[in-house]
Amino acid sequence: MNIYEKLKELNLEIPAAPPKGGVYAPCQEFGNNLVYISGCGPVIGGEGIRGKLGNEFTAEEGKAFSRDAMLNVLAVLQDKIGDLNRVKRAIKILTFVASADTFYEQPAVANGGSELLLQLLGQENVPARSAIGVNVLPGNIPVETEAIFEIEK
């Protein structure tokens, strides 16, 4: 089954790629078939989301933000490679979670993006992952995710 059909079953779609927020490349290919996607936040369609997990947001809300950040990662990847069905597997993701001092559920938040990749790519292609709590993220967004994918040439 193709990724776009799976997205449709989940009532999800790939949004437009988010605009750049600085002087950097949103995506870089390296090696023969690897693609690195710079950090993407959860904002889809221009709606601002601001605050920290453990203050303004719960872990469950953070999980949805993590899924949306992964949708933005996939949007950038799609812009670069043209067709997400070229994704062979996700290699690694890193999820940053803007956290109150007493919030310790960063892995639960990061599950939103990981679970989306599981649903789209299958268990055998689930990436290695780190989830890190930080004091603040750009624009006061609650979650940011970056990723590395292996693609078919």
Side-chain angles (χ1 to χ4, degrees):
M1 181 182 275
N2 87 34
I3 286 179
Y4 300 101
E5 290 173 6
K6 290 179 183 180
L7 283 163
K8 190 174 181 179
E9 287 178 8
L10 297 168
N11 283 331
L12 296 171
E13 60 183 43
I14 301 298
K20 285 185 3 177
V23 181
Y24 64 93
C27 183
Q28 285 285 351
E29 290 187 58
F30 64 102
N32 286 335
N33 58 349
L34 298 175
V35 180
Y36 166 78
I37 308 298
S38 296
C40 292
V43 178
I44 294 177
E47 297 177 27
I49 302 167
R50 303 197 181 340
K52 291 184 181 184
L53 280 290
N55 280 349
E56 291 80 12
F57 304 112
T58 66
E60 198 59 34
E61 289 170 308
K63 188 174 174 181
F65 297 149
S66 179
R67 181 205 61 217
D68 289 349
M70 186 57 68
L71 285 169
N72 279 328
V73 164
L74 293 172
V76 172
L77 181 60
Q78 178 178 264
D79 275 5
K80 182 70 173 181
I81 67 172
D83 182 356
L84 291 177
N85 289 308
R86 290 183 56 206
V87 174
K88 192 170 181 180
R89 65 185 169 135
I91 301 293
K92 164 102 170 63
I93 63 173
L94 172 58
T95 299
F96 299 95
V97 180
S99 304
D101 290 343
T102 57
F103 185 82
Y104 307 108
E105 299 177 65
Q106 291 82 6
V109 169
N111 280 343
S114 297
E115 289 172 2
L116 177 60
L117 292 176
L118 169 67
Q119 293 167 317
L120 297 177
L121 303 174
Q123 180 65 43
E124 64 280 3
N125 297 314
V126 171
R129 181 188 86 187
S130 299
I132 304 203
V134 296
N135 184 48
V136 69
L137 288 167
N140 198 25
I141 59 174
V143 175
E144 181 175 328
T145 298
E146 62 181 45
I148 299 172
F149 293 91
E150 181 180 9
I151 59 168
E152 303 277 346
K153 280 293 183 183

